[in-house]
């Protein structure tokens, strides 16, 4: 059984406590349960982690690269939170590992403040998902499974 790594970045541990109009009312625990259920539907396991620290996310992407190369990991669903808009380190980590990463945002970042319109991760990500609320996590997992079955873009 292969694993899908679900990484949530800074402040996503606050999900469900504030800003429900933007991020919904589900907690991070709800999101992680949703991810585990969707992964199981595809015969995979979801390994869900959250950190407020950029370096920790970099280390986990490196680990994902090793596990992808070993054939035990399908890929990563990454909501890097605000680091999306600032982090060259996360860009380099994704580029340096070759692991398929789906960049995910709960909100439609392009309909929000201009500083959220630029992503350092999108050029390195395999695909981008934004604006579907927390349902986007399940959609991203399904997309990752599909990509892993048909590795050529657009197929
Ligand atoms: O839409 C997304 O998923 C974001 O990645 C969320 C980030 C934001 O900086 C990105 O621009 C878009 C922020 C996550 C903070 O989440 C909170 C949830 C509840 C209360 C406070 C923060």
């Amino acid at each position: 059984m292969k694993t899908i790594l679900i990484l949530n970045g800074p402040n996503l541990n606050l999900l469900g406590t504030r800003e429900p109009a933007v991020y919904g009312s589900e907690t991070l625990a709800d999101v992680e349960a949703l991810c585990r259920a969707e992964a199981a539907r595809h015969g995979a396991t979801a390994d869900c982690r959250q950190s407020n620290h950029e370096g920790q996310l970099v280390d986990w992407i490196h680990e994902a690269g090793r596990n992808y190369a070993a054939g035990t990991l399908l890929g990563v669903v990454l909501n890097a939170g605000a680091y999306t808009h600032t982090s060259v380190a996360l860009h380099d980590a994704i580029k340096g590992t070759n692991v398929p990463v789906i960049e995910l945002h709960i909100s439609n970042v392009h309909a929000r403040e201009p500083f959220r319109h630029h992503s350092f991760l999108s050029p390195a990500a395999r695909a981008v998902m934004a604006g579907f609320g927390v349902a986007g996590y399940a959609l991203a997992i399904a997309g990752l499974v599909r990509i892993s079955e048909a590795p050529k873009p657009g197929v």
Side-chain angles (χ1 to χ4, degrees), residues 10-12 14-19 23 79 81-82 84-85 104-107 109 112 116:
N11 297 310
L12 285 154
L14 299 177
L15 272 180
T17 65
R18 282 185 286 126
E19 300 200 63
Y23 299 117
N79 185 348
T84 304
H85 317 298
L104 180 140
H105 303 288
I106 297 167
S107 62
V109 283
R112 300 182 64 193
R116 297 187 202 276

Side-chain angles (χ1 to χ4, degrees), residues 48-135:
C48 302
R49 306 180 190 179
Q50 187 274 333
S51 177
N52 294 321
H53 304 280
E54 188 176 13
Q56 177 65 84
L57 295 166
V58 168
D59 285 345
W60 283 338
I61 290 167
H62 292 175
E63 180 189 331
R66 291 191 294 274
N67 291 337
Y68 181 70
T72 59
L73 186 84
L74 228 48
V76 181
V77 174
L78 171 63
N79 185 348
Y83 291 143
T84 304
H85 317 298
T86 63
S87 180
V88 177
L90 283 172
H91 170 106
D92 289 347
I94 297 168
K95 276 259 173 165
T97 55
N98 199 36
V99 60
V101 172
I102 313 294
E103 175 186 344
L104 180 140
H105 303 288
I106 297 167
S107 62
N108 177 0
V109 283
H110 298 288
R112 300 182 64 193
E113 305 96 320
F115 69 84
R116 297 187 202 276
H117 297 180
H118 180 259
S119 167
F120 280 96
L121 311 186
S122 298
R126 181 67 193 274
V128 180
M129 169 85 61
F132 287 93
V134 298

Side-chain angles (χ1 to χ4, degrees), residues 24-37:
S25 51
E26 288 93 343
T27 64
L28 181 62
D30 294 333
V31 169
E32 292 180 345
L34 173 161
C35 289
R36 280 191 278 273

